[in-house]
Amino acid sequence: MFGFYKKDINADHTDLMDSMAQAMNSAGNMRLDQHIDTVSGWGLGRVSLGILNAVDQPVKSTGGECLVVFHGELYNRNGELSDPEFVLQQYLERE
């Protein structure tokens, strides 16, 4: 997983994210997911095999107010949601 926060909002940080992703994907066969929020000046990404959690990430809440990047696997859980969607749902439903 990788990311950045820059105070110079509204700047194009695509090259920065691409260079971080490529540095982590030296073999060139990994899945790359990334999100850049130009309004607040941050970006999140992940490099993975794409076997576990093959859904596009970050996963966004319905309203778009919350994002999650998830790397790993949840055990002993059944359901229709992917693991990252489940984690996001549990976060949003917390008390």
Side-chain angles (χ1 to χ4, degrees):
M1 293 170 55
F2 57 93
F4 72 88
Y5 174 76
K6 296 258 186 178
K7 291 185 179 182
D8 55 339
I9 59 174
N10 297 317
D12 184 7
H13 298 296
T14 305
D15 289 342
L16 174 63
M17 288 291 282
D18 288 344
S19 66
M20 286 191 282
Q22 293 308 317
M24 295 179 68
N25 186 22
S26 58
N29 60 348
M30 306 291 268
R31 178 189 171 111
L32 304 173
D33 294 309
Q34 60 187 33
H35 173 81
I36 300 172
D37 186 324
T38 57
V39 175
S40 53
W42 60 268
L44 286 175
R46 84 176 179 137
V47 176
S48 72
L49 291 172
I51 298 168
L52 301 175
N53 301 320
V55 6
D56 291 340
Q57 293 196 40
V59 174
K60 299 176 189 173
S61 61
T62 306
E65 72 280 0
C66 198
L67 300 160
V68 65
V69 175
F70 182 82
H71 191 76
E73 184 177 6
L74 299 177
Y75 295 96
N76 298 322
R77 185 188 74 78
N78 295 321
E80 296 180 9
L81 298 175
S82 68
D83 287 354
E85 291 166 334
F86 178 77
V87 168
L88 183 58
Q89 178 190 50
Q90 293 302 301
Y91 176 78
L92 293 171
E93 292 177 357
R94 74 191 188 289
E95 293 184 341

